C-alpha cells in the first residue's frame, strides 16, 4: 500500500507485483496512524466492510477493493497522486519505490491473475497461455511500472 510517514517525511510509491507488501510491512510502524490501522487484521476487515457498503450505496465509480475513502490515496497510487496529496509540502518528503525486472514482473502478473478466479481479468487471462499473455501485454501497450512514476513535477531536492 502507499505508505506515508509524516514524522519522518517519507512516501513509498507501491507499484503492484514488486514486493511492495513486504516493504510496507517494514515501514508501517513509521507510517501515518491510519495506515497502521489499515495494516492490522481487524482494520482491514473494517475497511472491507465499509468499502463494500460504499460501493453498494454510491453512484460514483469507486475502484473495487480500495480504502482510499479512509487512506486518502489508493493502495497503488501513482507518483503524481502522492505528490498532489502531499502538496504544498511535497518537496520536504523523500519519495521512493521498488522496480522489478520487467520480465519477472509480467510473469508475476500472469500468475497472480490466472490463479484468482475473482480477478476482473481472470476470464480473459484464463483462456491464454503465458506467451499469449506477454504478446497481448506488449501489443496492447498495457501499463508499465514506470507509468506509475510519470508525468509529474518532481519535488525540489
Amino acid at each position: 500500500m502507499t505508505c506515508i510517514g509524516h514524522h519522518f517525511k517519507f512516501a513509498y510509491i507501491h507499484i503492484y507485483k514488486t514486493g511492495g507488501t513486504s516493504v510496507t510491512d517494514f515501514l508501517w510502524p513509521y507510517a501515518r496512524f491510519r495506515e497502521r490501522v489499515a495494516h492490522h487484521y481487524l482494520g482491514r476487515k473494517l475497511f472491507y466492510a465499509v468499502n463494500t457498503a460504499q460501493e453498494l450505496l454510491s453512484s460514483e465509480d469507486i475502484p473495487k477493493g480500495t480504502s482510499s475513502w479512509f487512506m486518502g490515496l489508493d493502495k497503488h497510487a501513482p507518483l503524481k497522486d502522492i505528490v498532489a496529496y502531499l502538496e504544498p509540502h511535497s518537496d520536504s518528503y523523500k519519495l521512493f519505490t521498488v522496480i522489478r525486472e520487467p520480465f519477472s514482473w509480467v510473469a508475476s502478473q500472469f500468475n497472480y491473475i490466472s490463479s484468482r478466479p475473482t480477478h476482473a481479468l481472470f476470464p480473459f487471462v484464463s483462456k491464454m497461455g503465458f506467451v499469449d499473455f506477454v504478446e497481448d501485454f506488449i501489443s496492447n501497450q498495457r501499463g508499465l511500472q514506470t507509468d506509475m512514476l510519470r508525468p509529474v513535477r518532481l519535488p525540489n531536492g
Side-chain angles (χ1 to χ4, degrees), residues 66-150:
T66 68
S67 57
S68 56
W69 63 270
F70 179 76
M71 301 302 290
L73 288 164
D74 185 60
K75 176 180 180 176
H76 297 119
L79 176 61
K80 66 181 177 60
D81 292 352
I82 294 170
V83 169
Y85 181 81
L86 295 173
E87 286 296 341
H89 307 289
S90 63
D91 0 350
S92 63
Y93 283 75
K94 298 295 180 193
L95 308 172
F96 65 100
T97 191
V98 174
I99 300 282
R100 187 169 178 177
E101 185 275 320
F103 184 78
S104 68
W105 182 67
V106 173
S108 181
Q109 288 182 65
F110 174 76
N111 291 330
Y112 182 82
I113 295 168
S114 61
S115 68
R116 287 176 172 70
T118 58
H119 194 282
L121 295 176
F122 178 81
F124 175 68
V125 173
S126 65
K127 296 176 185 160
M128 57 175 58
F130 178 66
V131 172
D132 298 326
F133 180 80
V134 172
E135 288 175 351
D136 177 74
F137 192 92
I138 293 168
S139 66
N140 290 310
Q141 300 179 0
R142 305 240 185 251
L144 301 174
Q145 298 171 81
T146 53
D147 291 346
M148 291 187 68
L149 304 175
R150 65 177 164 210

Side-chain angles (χ1 to χ4, degrees), residues 2-59:
T2 297
C3 191
I4 298 172
H6 292 299
H7 179 74
F8 294 100
K9 302 282 189 185
F10 73 83
Y12 169 63
I13 301 100
H14 182 176
I15 298 175
Y16 57 94
K17 307 313 297 168
T18 60
T21 301
S22 296
V23 174
T24 303
D25 286 348
F26 175 77
L27 293 172
W28 80 268
Y30 310 101
R32 299 178 295 177
F33 174 73
R34 51 184 139 181
E35 286 165 350
R36 293 193 309 264
V37 171
H39 187 79
H40 190 276
Y41 174 77
L42 294 175
R44 283 193 304 273
K45 293 295 183 188
L46 173 67
F47 288 163
Y48 179 79
V50 172
N51 199 43
T52 301
Q54 183 185 23
E55 289 172 359
L56 293 172
L57 298 173
S58 178
S59 60

